[in-house]
Amino acid sequence: MPGKVVLCTGANQGLGFAVLQVAGLRHPTNTYILCSRDLDAGQQAVQKLKDLGVIAQIDLVKLDVTNDQHISAAVEHVTETYGKLDALINNAGIIRLPSNDDISAARAAYNELFNVNITSVALLTTAFTPLLYKSPNPKVINISSGLGSIQNAPTKKKVRVPSYSTSKTAVNGLTVHMQVAENDRVEGEAASSGEPRIRYYACAPGLLRAAFSGFWGNGRDPEEGAEVVVRLLADDTGEYEGGTYWEFVDDEMKVVPW
């Protein structure tokens, strides 16, 4: 039985790479589209996955999520090559610390942060939606953060990065609102169209020991952080309802409060 076609942005290193590693080893019949801004880095990542024992098909696509031409080209490639997309993993993200002294520099930092972390997630998801509708069980998995939880922020001691945390709160909001819009669509005009309902998820992989965190010594292994994504990816029975926010801790899936 043919596997799923799974596309992951920012997948040449860190969490994105770990997702393809864990999923590729566990579900080798899938095809994984590894997206990287740098093709050389992407090719090195593909080879590393093979060296780690991944036998699943890995397709490399050049994609800077802030580049509209790259997005259009990626959609065209997936359309012509596969004719569908079963899962979109919006993993690419950045962290920026806006200046406290230079308003213009701070504005530029916020604009860049939100362009990558939220605007590009919205645009990429919209661009791939027609291909997701070609899948019998489509999913969009948005990489958020525990820092994006408004409920936890006042009660749990965490790293305080307001700019980054707010961008992830926005990702959570986008996830919920895309889900309710999709639910309304299914209940409305699409009820007789036969198109499936896309499930949208936000997930918190935890602070990882990766380049993103400066390889922080107390961080989780990227493979451990990838587990929440891989479990959502593998759910074909509807165990995890769309429009929800998940983490994998203490060897189990847990809902994160919004």
Side-chain angles (χ1 to χ4, degrees):
M1 181 177 178
K4 300 171 184 173
V5 178
V6 179
L7 184 146
C8 183
T9 65
N12 62 286
Q13 64 178 348
L15 177 65
F17 179 89
V19 167
L20 298 194
Q21 177 187 344
V22 175
L25 291 170
R26 195 173 300 171
H27 305 290
T29 61
N30 292 346
T31 295
Y32 300 95
I33 304 172
L34 187 160
C35 296
S36 174
R37 291 182 299 168
D38 185 320
L39 281 181
D40 287 339
Q43 288 166 353
Q44 292 174 25
V46 171
Q47 184 58 54
K48 185 176 179 181
L49 287 169
K50 293 178 180 177
D51 293 342
L52 289 168
V54 174
I55 61 172
Q57 180 179 341
I58 306 293
D59 187 3
L60 175 61
V61 169
K62 183 178 177 65
L63 177 62
D64 177 341
V65 297
T66 66
N67 186 309
D68 297 340
Q69 287 71 38
H70 284 195
I71 294 174
S72 296
V75 170
E76 183 177 358
H77 171 75
V78 176
T79 301
E80 294 179 352
T81 307
Y82 306 105
K84 68 166 186 171
L85 184 64
D86 295 289
L88 170 63
I89 303 170
N90 285 307
N91 168 69
I94 61 172
I95 188 167
R96 293 290 183 268
L97 301 176
S99 170
N100 292 324
D101 305 313
D102 186 328
I103 293 176
S104 295
R107 182 181 295 279
Y110 269 104
N111 286 345
E112 182 184 14
L113 181 66
F114 276 76
N115 190 25
V116 175
N117 289 6
I118 181 65
T119 301
S120 294
V121 170
L123 297 182
L124 204 73
T125 301
T126 300
F128 276 107
T129 292
L131 283 165
L132 288 163
Y133 285 146
K134 301 296 183 182
S135 167
N137 192 9
K139 304 181 187 78
V140 174
I141 302 173
N142 295 326
I143 305 304
S144 182
S145 166
L147 298 176
S149 169
I150 293 178
Q151 184 172 331
N152 282 344
T155 60
K156 290 193 175 183
K157 188 66 176 177
K158 291 179 177 287
V159 177
R160 305 300 186 189
V161 189
S163 55
Y164 174 78
S165 301
T166 302
S167 75
K168 291 305 184 180
T169 302
V171 167
N172 293 347
L174 178 69
T175 302
V176 171
H177 286 290
M178 282 192 158
Q179 187 66 69
V180 296
E182 177 69 354
N183 294 347
D184 290 348
R185 181 194 68 84
V186 170
E187 292 172 4
E189 96 246 349
S192 60
S193 71
E195 288 181 344
R197 182 173 72 100
I198 299 173
R199 283 184 281 163
Y200 297 84
Y201 301 105
C203 61
L207 186 57
L208 307 180
R209 189 164 52 250
F212 189 86
S213 67
F215 297 98
W216 186 54
N218 292 330
R220 306 172 87 189
D221 288 333
E223 294 83 2
E224 185 180 0
E227 189 66 33
V228 61
V229 182
V230 176
R231 296 210 175 199
L232 292 171
L233 183 63
D235 175 32
D236 293 328
T237 63
E239 178 181 0
Y240 306 117
E241 179 62 25
T244 46
Y245 183 18
W246 294 91
E247 62 182 352
F248 185 82
V249 294
D250 301 325
D251 294 321
E252 64 177 321
M253 294 285 282
K254 295 183 179 181
V255 172
V256 182
W258 297 111

